[in-house]
Amino acid sequence: MWHVSLYIAATIMVAITHWLYRWQNPKCKGNLPPGSMGWPLIGETMHFFAPNSTWDTPPFVKQRMKRYGSVFRTSLVGRPVIVSTDSDLNYMIFQQEGQLFQSWYPDSFTEVFGRQNVGSLHGYMYKYLKNMVLYLFGPESLKKMLHEVEHVATTSLEKWAGLESVELKEATANMIFDLTAKKLISYDPEKSSENLRENFVAFIQGLISFPLDIPGTAYHKCLQGRKKAMAMLKNMLKDRRANPRKVKSDFFDYVLEELDRGDSILTEAIALDLMFVLLFASFETTSLAITVAVKLLRDNPRALQELTEEHVNILRNRENKESGLTWKEYKSMTFTFQIINETVRLANIVPGVFRKALRDIKFKDYTIPAGWAVMVCPPAVHLNPVNYKDPLEFNPWRWEKGASKNFMGFGGGMRFCVGTDFTKVQMAVFLHCLVTKYRWRTVRGGEIVRTPGLQFPNGFHVEISERQTE
């Protein structure tokens, strides 16, 4: 009998050993990039999610770049992934969207953003939604929105100047959320019985966490935040349909018009996922960028002085001193746009962009197998001394000759972020109002804590006071 038991045990050990070998050495019709697949099923997920309290490239990526080179393999949340920090491969990935690569995100991301969110759709449907978003955030709409953005920034700064101090990330997030929610769904926090922003706070706090949906975990709270926010949006849609407006005044009206068209390809589920993603992306990423910009300017008096001079000159050259910003004035903010590019490069607000290989792809001596995920890693490119001299230094003057293919702060290719212009308008207008009318100093300066998905300026409190008229 013991012979049978020994045989069974040996068979199990051989099977486990074979499974472990196949896990560490996946099949490939060619040479896989070097790397490690980590533990079975878990892979290297835990290392990937480890926070980084420096400006530098996340340790997970930096350590593997030193060991394996600019392209390496790993396994994250149960999926084999090729990580690219190579500028040439990144460029090819962005330019070959729909041909060699396709937008893809882990199941945990699609679960929280919606399985029909704009980032997970392809082909005609993606282009259709992109054009819808440009209806709201395109240049022509932003021209009309400019005075409203300036008014919101002005009134917010006036309010903050009367407080002892403000936590800038939270304050700017509220400011931008209220404006965006108004333009999207005519949401007014003072008139609503539910706090939509609170649901997004719960969502964000668990967004970058291990995908374990058990009560008490951050991921579970994230899903609950999404569920409540989606319920609010669905009720608003139902109410709007029951009480249609005679005059269209927000993006919801435009969406409803599309939904009611007989030949429309838009569904209610896709429309609600689109609303959710727009609300999240518009305020969270931009508020992070503004906070980082203010922190960097605080630490660089020369850049702050040049920025202030640019905006003071706009006021001096204005014929009507009582008028607000014009589109021409906005487009003239050359140094401001350099500040924005440098802030986005250092902040790396989108530190990972995912795609999936549609077929076996040769790159240099390696093969990227069909079906494998590919993660473009902007921080590793933005903070590489080969691409940018003294990459950890805040140097807006490096942008005097414009951007290059090594800059991917707003994505690239056909999926270049459609909210880029909105982000730039928000940042430029806020900085204009801040440097021309106010001074500020740090009361409690926090650090930037990075995760693979977001950066959190912890405890960056500033005291804002009015600038004396010059």
Side-chain angles (χ1 to χ4, degrees), residues 52 85 133 142-143 173 179 198 269 271 280 282 298-299 318 320 334 350 371 373 377 393 428 448 451:
N52 173 25
T85 68
V133 176
L142 290 176
K143 287 180 183 179
L179 172 63
E198 282 186 0
F280 164 76
S282 60
R298 178 207 66 179
D299 296 337
R318 184 178 293 169
N320 182 357
T334 304
V350 182
C377 186
E393 178 184 334
I448 305 296
T451 74

Side-chain angles (χ1 to χ4, degrees), residues 52-86:
N52 173 25
S53 59
T54 73
W55 284 101
D56 209 347
T57 304
F60 175 87
V61 174
K62 194 169 186 177
Q63 292 166 6
R64 285 156 182 77
M65 286 174 65
K66 288 181 179 179
R67 190 180 307 168
Y68 305 121
S70 62
V71 181
F72 58 89
R73 75 174 187 266
T74 184
S75 176
L76 304 174
V77 291
R79 284 293 301 260
V81 179
I82 301 295
V83 178
S84 172
T85 68
D86 186 286

Side-chain angles (χ1 to χ4, degrees), residues 121-174:
L121 296 174
H122 313 288
Y124 179 76
M125 192 68 207
Y126 169 74
K127 293 178 182 178
Y128 170 77
L129 292 182
K130 183 177 179 179
N131 287 331
M132 284 188 67
V133 176
L134 286 174
Y135 173 85
L136 178 68
F137 291 135
E140 292 305 313
S141 296
L142 290 176
K143 287 180 183 179
K144 301 173 184 176
M145 202 189 300
L146 189 63
H147 287 298
E148 192 171 0
V149 173
E150 183 181 16
H151 174 73
V152 169
T154 299
T155 53
S156 295
L157 284 163
E158 286 176 355
K159 177 183 176 181
W160 301 344
L163 302 176
E164 183 177 336
S165 70
V166 294
E167 203 288 309
L168 194 61
K169 166 62 179 63
E170 182 65 16
T172 52
N174 277 321

